Amino acid sequence: MKKLILPLFGLFSITLFSQSKSIISSEIRWKAYKTLRTESLSHFGTVVLKSGKLIFSGNDLAGGSFVMDMTTIDAEDMNGGPKQKRFLENHLKSDDFFDTDKFPTATFQIKFIKKIKSNGYNYQVTGPLTIKGISKNISFPVKVTQANSIFTLTSAQFTFNRKNFGLKYNIF
């Protein structure tokens, strides 16, 4: 079974007079494994967040949504080999994987939130992740912190099975 690990990291701004907070900077990191799930058979990198917002009720997370620009997928582990890097990134953008010509974005929408206290995370978020027009609910812990007028949301590392989203290249 092949899985793609997509940890999310984000930094969000807060407007004191609004319940909806726009993102001021973000980092979305991904890691993907080939069939045998060994580090030597993995790739990792980043995807640019195109847009997003968090919704708060007071200081409590109440919802949110994110749009990821899949055309920006970057295979950082290949930085030492520009030709191989370009090949892998183009392959990930092809219809074997994300088909970015037809589906340039992927989205995640927070639909359900549960307060938790687990390993430093204070919420469990659940909602549809949409890739290639296919939506599946996923759930993962996040930590929301506030310093002055800045909220920071950091997710735990989570996995999803890429074949559930039509990313079927080399699946046995």
Side-chain angles (χ1 to χ4, degrees):
M1 181 187 313
K2 296 184 182 183
K3 292 186 178 183
L4 179 69
I5 296 174
L6 182 69
L8 297 175
F9 305 93
L11 180 62
F12 303 87
S13 70
I14 179 172
T15 306
L16 296 176
F17 304 107
S18 171
Q19 294 300 318
S20 180
K21 318 307 179 201
S22 297
I23 295 171
I24 56 171
S25 70
S26 67
E27 180 179 53
I28 299 174
R29 302 206 51 81
W30 61 268
K31 186 167 191 172
Y33 292 94
K34 295 182 182 176
T35 306
L36 298 176
R37 192 170 163 84
T38 63
E39 288 303 312
S40 64
L41 296 175
S42 68
H43 293 288
F44 63 87
T46 60
V47 174
V48 171
L49 188 68
K50 185 174 185 174
S51 64
K53 69 178 178 178
L54 290 178
I55 300 168
F56 289 87
S57 175
N59 286 334
D60 291 328
L61 182 64
S65 60
F66 308 89
V67 178
M68 294 150 281
D69 184 350
M70 300 309 295
T71 67
T72 66
I73 195 161
D74 179 28
E76 289 180 343
D77 65 305
M78 302 297 283
N79 283 343
K83 188 174 181 179
Q84 295 90 343
K85 176 182 173 74
R86 190 169 39 258
F87 177 81
L88 176 59
E89 290 170 355
N90 286 338
H91 193 211
L92 292 171
K93 292 174 187 177
S94 77
D95 61 359
D96 283 340
F97 288 96
F98 294 102
D99 198 0
T100 60
D101 286 341
K102 289 183 187 171
F103 304 98
T105 61
T107 62
F108 177 69
Q109 187 172 19
I110 299 172
K111 289 287 194 175
F112 303 101
I113 299 161
K114 179 181 176 185
K115 283 190 171 185
I116 63 170
K117 289 185 179 179
S118 175
N119 297 324
Y121 296 99
N122 50 5
Y123 295 98
Q124 181 80 18
V125 297
T126 302
L129 173 64
T130 303
I131 299 173
K132 290 179 73 170
I134 299 169
S135 296
K136 300 287 182 185
N137 278 333
I138 63 170
S139 185
F140 52 91
V142 299
K143 176 172 58 174
V144 177
T145 57
Q146 179 185 5
N148 299 320
S149 62
I150 303 290
F151 278 87
T152 302
L153 179 140
T154 305
S155 79
Q157 193 174 54
F158 62 92
T159 63
F160 61 86
N161 191 326
R162 66 185 177 100
K163 71 180 177 181
N164 292 337
F165 294 91
L167 288 77
K168 297 181 179 182
Y169 177 78
N170 204 20
I171 290 182
F172 301 101

